[in-house]
Amino acid sequence: MATILVVDDELGIRALLSEILSDEGHTVEVAENAAKARQLRDQCQPDLVLLDIWMPDVDGITLLKEWGANGQLTMPVIMMSGHGTIDTAVEATKFGAQAFLEKPITMQKLLRTVEQGLVKPPAAPRAAAPAQPVHTATVTPITAAASYAVPLSSTPLPLRSELAGGEAAHAPQQPIAYGAPVHNGAISPTAHNGLSHEQSFELDRPLREARDDFERAYFEFHLAREGGSMTRVAEKTGLERTHLYRKLKQLGVDLGRSKKTAAN
């Protein structure tokens, strides 16, 4: 796979892009400013660079021009911006950028653009009229907050029980399809193909806490069953991958541990 350098002054974007691209098998280096980007470009010789335009010290267009003037534009560069215009995209392609991604960036567009960038030769800077830029549609935002606990618009998975006389009368409804007997208000899912360890869900507690515990177990089960593949887990659970990453972050699911569990 490729070595990709992500240059962005926002920690949240660097972390999320790094995680997504690493999950696809790439080696990812991150830089928070132009000085660090120059250093890593020389050290790791990246196969592709994702470069933010608006940075506090030296902006991305200036850095792109510098690399082109110094003969260092030996790798494809994809520009990113949340405040870009058509003129900005045209200027970027004129100075050697291969594509332009407008924030918020959709997961599919990110991976497709990176894949296309890795199979094309780097675009040479040119003084003639620029080619038409690649302009993206904005669907799912990549947030720049340090915390990933952002409001989610989808309906959370429910944990429901019908109580009669102070005791649980029925087990929760699907998706616990692999067996969930109720004992004194606790649900203990049985193992499924050896992938799920026994776990209890206390029902005598606030709904949100019980629901979070169930969702955490639900996603850990699917991660283990699918060998840690985020693509297959997204398909199985019916969630778009950007949403899935945020949900796992919100629930505190350790992706590294889930992959090790799947390997064992």
Side-chain angles (χ1 to χ4, degrees):
M1 302 302 286
T3 297
I4 298 175
L5 173 60
V6 175
V7 186
D8 198 297
D9 63 313
E10 298 184 58
L11 173 61
I13 292 181
R14 292 199 306 273
L16 187 56
L17 291 181
S18 177
E19 189 168 29
I20 293 169
L21 294 170
S22 296
D23 188 61
E24 294 297 313
H26 301 296
T27 299
V28 182
E29 301 288 344
V30 296
E32 67 276 13
N33 54 41
K36 185 68 173 179
R38 293 187 189 102
Q39 177 186 345
L40 289 175
R41 185 240 168 258
D42 293 337
Q43 286 179 354
C44 66
Q45 295 293 308
D47 299 299
L48 182 142
V49 176
L50 289 166
L51 178 59
D52 187 35
I53 289 180
W54 301 107
M55 294 188 294
D57 55 348
V58 176
D59 65 85
I61 295 290
T62 299
L63 182 59
L64 181 69
K65 292 178 183 177
E66 176 188 311
W67 281 342
N70 295 338
Q72 295 177 302
L73 203 58
T74 57
M75 65 288 173
V77 175
I78 298 170
M79 306 301 292
M80 306 181 294
S81 177
H83 309 283
T85 64
I86 293 295
D87 289 341
T88 305
V90 168
E91 183 180 16
T93 56
K94 180 171 115 177
F95 289 106
Q98 188 173 93
F100 178 86
L101 288 173
E102 183 181 0
K103 300 176 185 177
I105 306 170
T106 66
M107 180 76 64
Q108 292 86 349
K109 186 64 177 178
L110 170 67
L111 296 179
R112 184 167 63 250
T113 305
V114 166
E115 181 180 0
Q116 291 171 348
L118 290 172
V119 298
K120 293 180 181 178
R126 56 193 184 279
Q132 289 297 319
V134 177
H135 201 63
T136 67
T138 59
V139 178
T140 305
I142 294 178
T143 63
S147 170
Y148 289 88
V150 297
L152 300 175
S153 59
S154 64
T155 304
L157 293 169
L159 179 66
R160 297 181 297 163
S161 62
E162 297 176 11
L163 301 180
E167 295 184 355
H170 299 283
Q173 305 301 312
Q174 297 290 344
I176 304 183
Y178 49 92
V182 176
H183 300 291
N184 298 324
I187 307 169
S188 299
T190 58
H192 182 70
N193 294 333
L195 295 177
S196 175
H197 60 277
E198 184 172 340
Q199 183 173 350
S200 297
F201 297 97
E202 296 293 337
L203 300 182
D204 187 17
R205 59 195 302 199
L207 174 61
R208 181 173 180 177
E209 293 179 11
R211 185 181 62 212
D212 285 351
D213 277 355
F214 167 73
E215 291 186 355
R216 191 176 300 108
Y218 171 79
F219 287 116
E220 288 176 346
F221 167 78
H222 280 287
L223 281 165
R225 188 172 69 173
E226 301 303 332
S229 169
M230 295 296 288
T231 299
R232 291 198 296 271
V233 170
E235 292 174 354
K236 293 290 184 180
T237 60
L239 294 179
E240 198 273 332
R241 283 187 51 166
T242 302
H243 186 174
L244 177 60
Y245 272 104
R246 289 178 180 167
K247 189 65 174 174
L248 296 178
K249 285 287 186 182
Q250 183 187 42
L251 293 171
V253 175
D254 186 343
L255 296 178
R257 185 173 65 85
S258 297
K259 289 182 179 180
K260 290 179 182 177
T261 301
N264 295 332

